């Protein structure tokens, strides 16, 4: 198992959790794996946390619960104590063996960000390599972008079967770019906005996405077919279609569901599965948000219109 794939297990041992928390994994940057995991323990066993294996990687942590008077360790030594407020973002360098004393309830999101992901970003942008990130022990950041990305991914962590891979890839790519810019000095430059995909590329990309309504394909797999970087493909696809790939896919699911409800008298649970949704509740939630009414109401209205026309 890869480092990212085992991230939940590693965090579970680090925090002395009974069960390894689930992770969402992305492979959107030239095959480099990143992960995000939610951890929580309302009644932890007091003691010093475990250690991560030293590696050239970073952990970005969004604190969802305050942790006052936190005793922080680095390289095997107690360095300082600091209050950790809810909503703050912290960065940790895994080469420095970051640890802390667990003596209060905690709730956090952790993003695993290997150095190779940052290198892939700069190579794709033809920019200088990012140096060290601003991993200052005990220094939290009021980072609205990390909070937004974290909030968006929390639902996916709690209902992984309902989260398509394109969405995970999109959000983790955004996190990588943001961290590189905000904490690593990365400047993407002011290049003129590139155009969209060639017509044949846009047609082929849409066919690929439509053939996999369940959303198992990754952005990396689709972009690689055209020899494009993930960031370039995502940007060009949005220019061509008006939507990022994961939102375009949701529209196609809703479109497929409407066709099934109009033509065939199937149970909504079967329609949900046929249109790429994880289950009926997932279908109802997404459909209602995009269309403004529930699938049942939409079908009754559509059937009423059809009967009226005949």
């Amino acid at each position: 198992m890869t480092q990212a794939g085992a991230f939940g297990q590693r965090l579970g041992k680090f925090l002395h959790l009974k069960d390894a928390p689930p992770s969402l994994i992305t492979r959107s940057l030239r095959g480099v794996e990143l992960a995000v995991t939610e951890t929580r323990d309302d009644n932890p066993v007091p003691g010093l946390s475990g250690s991560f294996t030293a590696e050239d990687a970073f952990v970005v942590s969004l604190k969802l619960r305050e942790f006052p008077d936190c005793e922080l360790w680095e390289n095997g030594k107690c360095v300082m104590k600091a209050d950790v407020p809810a909503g703050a973002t912290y960065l940790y360098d895994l080469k420095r063996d970051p640890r802390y004393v667990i003596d209060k309830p905690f709730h956090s999101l952790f993003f695993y960000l290997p150095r190779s992901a940052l290198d892939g970003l700069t190579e794709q942008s033809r920019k200088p390599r990012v140096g060290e990130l601003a991993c200052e022990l005990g220094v939290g950041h009021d980072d609205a972008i990390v909070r937004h990305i974290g909030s968006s991914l929390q639902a996916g962590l709690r209902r992984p079967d309902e989260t398509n891979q394109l969405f995970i890839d999109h959000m983790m790519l955004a996190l990588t770019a943001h961290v590189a810019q905000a904490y690593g000095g990365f400047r993407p430059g002011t290049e003129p906005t590139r155009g969209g995909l060639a017509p044949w590329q846009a047609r082929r990309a849409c066919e690929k996405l439509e053939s996999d309504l369940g959303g198992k394909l990754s952005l990396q797999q689709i972009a690689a077919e055209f020899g494009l970087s993930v960031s370039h493909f995502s940007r060009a696809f949005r220019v061509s279609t008006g939507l990022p790939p994961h939102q375009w896919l949701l529209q196609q699911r809703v479109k497929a569901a409407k066709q099934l409800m109009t033509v065939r008298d199937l149970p909504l649970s079967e329609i949900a599965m046929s249109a790429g949704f994880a289950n009926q509740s997932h279908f109802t939630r997404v459909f209602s948000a995009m269309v403004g009414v529930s699938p049942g109401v939409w079908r009754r209205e559509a059937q009423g219109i059809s009967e009226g026309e005949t």
Side-chain angles (χ1 to χ4, degrees), residues 4 29 52 55-56 72 75 77 106 149-150 159 198 230-231 238-239 243 259 262-263 285 293:
L29 289 162
F52 282 101
E55 61 171 307
D56 198 0
L72 301 166
N75 294 323
K77 297 179 181 179
F106 60 83
I149 293 173
R159 292 190 292 266
V230 172
S231 56
R238 186 167 190 161
V239 170
L243 293 169
Q259 291 175 339
T262 302
V263 177
R285 190 161 50 251
V293 295

Side-chain angles (χ1 to χ4, degrees), residues 17-244:
L17 298 173
K18 293 180 181 179
D19 300 306
S23 297
L24 297 177
I25 311 294
T26 182
R27 298 172 181 83
S28 60
L29 289 162
R30 297 189 179 181
V32 176
E33 290 190 341
L34 303 93
V36 57
T37 301
E38 183 176 9
T39 63
R40 179 174 183 169
D41 194 338
D42 294 331
N43 189 29
V45 176
L48 184 63
S49 70
S51 286
F52 282 101
T53 302
E55 61 171 307
D56 198 0
F58 304 93
V59 168
V60 179
S61 179
L62 173 62
K63 307 303 181 183
L64 302 175
R65 179 173 185 164
E66 67 174 0
F67 198 98
D69 201 27
C70 180
E71 184 177 313
L72 301 166
W73 288 53
E74 199 169 71
N75 294 323
K77 297 179 181 179
C78 176
V79 177
M80 63 184 299
K81 287 189 175 184
D83 290 334
V84 176
T89 293
Y90 291 80
L91 280 74
Y92 305 102
D93 186 337
L94 294 188
K95 297 191 301 296
R96 302 180 193 168
D97 188 23
R99 305 173 75 183
Y100 79 102
V101 173
I102 303 171
D103 56 1
K104 306 172 191 71
F106 60 83
H107 187 192
S108 302
L109 281 179
F110 289 93
F111 298 89
Y112 172 73
L113 183 60
R115 160 68 62 184
S116 50
L118 297 172
D119 291 345
L121 179 71
T122 54
E123 287 170 14
Q124 289 174 7
S125 304
R126 296 192 176 97
K127 296 294 180 180
R129 189 171 181 262
V130 170
E132 293 302 314
L133 297 183
C135 299
E136 301 175 67
L137 196 66
V139 176
H141 305 273
D142 182 13
D143 194 320
I145 293 177
V146 173
R147 284 198 296 272
H148 170 71
I149 293 173
S151 176
S152 299
L153 288 170
Q154 266 187 291
L157 284 163
R158 294 169 185 178
R159 292 190 292 266
D161 292 343
E162 299 180 10
T163 306
N164 71 64
Q165 189 62 44
L166 297 175
F167 173 71
I168 301 169
D169 293 349
H170 177 80
M171 299 307 293
M172 293 298 281
L173 178 64
L175 176 89
T176 303
H178 171 67
V179 169
Q181 292 181 54
Y183 306 107
F186 172 62
R187 295 292 176 265
T190 55
E191 297 177 297
T193 303
R194 298 176 184 176
L197 298 168
W200 72 269
Q201 290 177 320
R203 183 171 60 253
R204 178 62 180 151
C206 290
E207 288 172 353
K208 291 279 286 185
L209 290 170
E210 210 164 4
S211 71
D212 178 48
L213 288 177
K216 301 303 181 185
L217 283 174
S218 69
L219 282 177
Q220 170 70 14
Q221 289 173 296
I222 301 172
E225 183 162 324
F226 307 110
L228 301 174
S229 70
V230 172
S231 56
H232 183 183
F233 169 75
S234 297
R235 182 171 56 247
F237 185 91
R238 186 167 190 161
V239 170
S240 295
T241 67
L243 293 169

